[in-house]
Amino acid sequence: MTGLDTNVLARYFVEEADADDATQRQREAARDLLESGQDLFLPKTVALELEWVLRGYYGFPLEQVLEVFDQLLHHACLQLEDRPALEQAVSGLRSGLDFADALHHASCRDCDTIASFDDRGFARRIRQLNLPPRVVVP
């Protein structure tokens, strides 16, 4: 099994019109790897960083980020670290949560509560969506 890093996934999903030769070679190598049929592994940390890179660096709109995650969730040869948490986080992203907050929340799904000082964003949105576990401000 081969674990994937964020830069490989970014090269696979981001097509840069003005890419240099080295970037094009990396894009082809990423395509060959992801479409090879071999077993691949996606760590949660890479999923988190990928969302940030797509949205923050490349300026992908929400719908395009969701398309990327839908492809990853349905990739036949891709094993996801903590698939239930990633599925829940993508669902949270669709519902208006920040992806990082959604992944933190999903990763704490067996907790009674989550402590956070982010009352205006994270805690408030979790309350609005009525999602367990509750986010409390200590």
Side-chain angles (χ1 to χ4, degrees):
M1 182 176 303
T2 300
L4 298 174
D5 190 14
T6 307
N7 50 28
V8 172
L9 292 171
R11 287 290 182 246
Y12 183 78
F13 287 108
V14 177
E15 190 166 345
E16 297 176 80
D18 58 347
D20 60 22
D21 289 341
T23 299
Q24 278 303 110
R25 282 192 301 276
Q26 288 179 350
R27 183 164 168 71
E28 290 168 18
R31 187 176 314 125
D32 289 346
L33 178 61
L34 270 90
E35 297 174 5
S36 69
Q38 69 177 292
D39 290 334
L40 302 169
F41 179 74
L42 176 64
K44 283 194 303 189
T45 53
V46 169
L48 179 62
E49 188 176 44
L50 178 64
E51 187 273 341
W52 183 87
V53 166
L54 294 176
R55 183 182 44 78
Y57 185 78
Y58 289 106
F60 275 34
L62 175 61
E63 286 306 314
Q64 201 171 1
V65 171
L66 288 168
E67 287 175 19
V68 166
F69 277 103
D70 286 342
Q71 287 182 42
L72 291 172
L73 289 170
H74 295 97
H75 191 290
C77 300
L78 189 59
Q79 179 181 332
L80 307 175
E81 177 187 12
D82 196 359
R83 176 180 279 277
L86 283 173
E87 289 173 341
Q88 184 178 332
V90 170
S91 178
L93 181 61
R94 276 192 215 305
S95 297
L97 286 172
D98 173 81
F99 186 72
D101 287 343
L103 188 57
H104 301 327
H105 187 260
S107 297
C108 294
R109 64 190 174 277
D110 293 331
C111 298
D112 296 322
T113 59
I114 300 169
S116 174
F117 290 120
D118 185 1
D119 188 39
R120 289 194 171 151
F122 186 30
R124 184 173 298 169
R125 190 70 183 130
I126 292 297
R127 279 193 306 273
Q128 289 170 342
L129 295 170
N130 197 30
L131 297 174
R134 293 179 307 114
V135 178
V136 298
V137 177

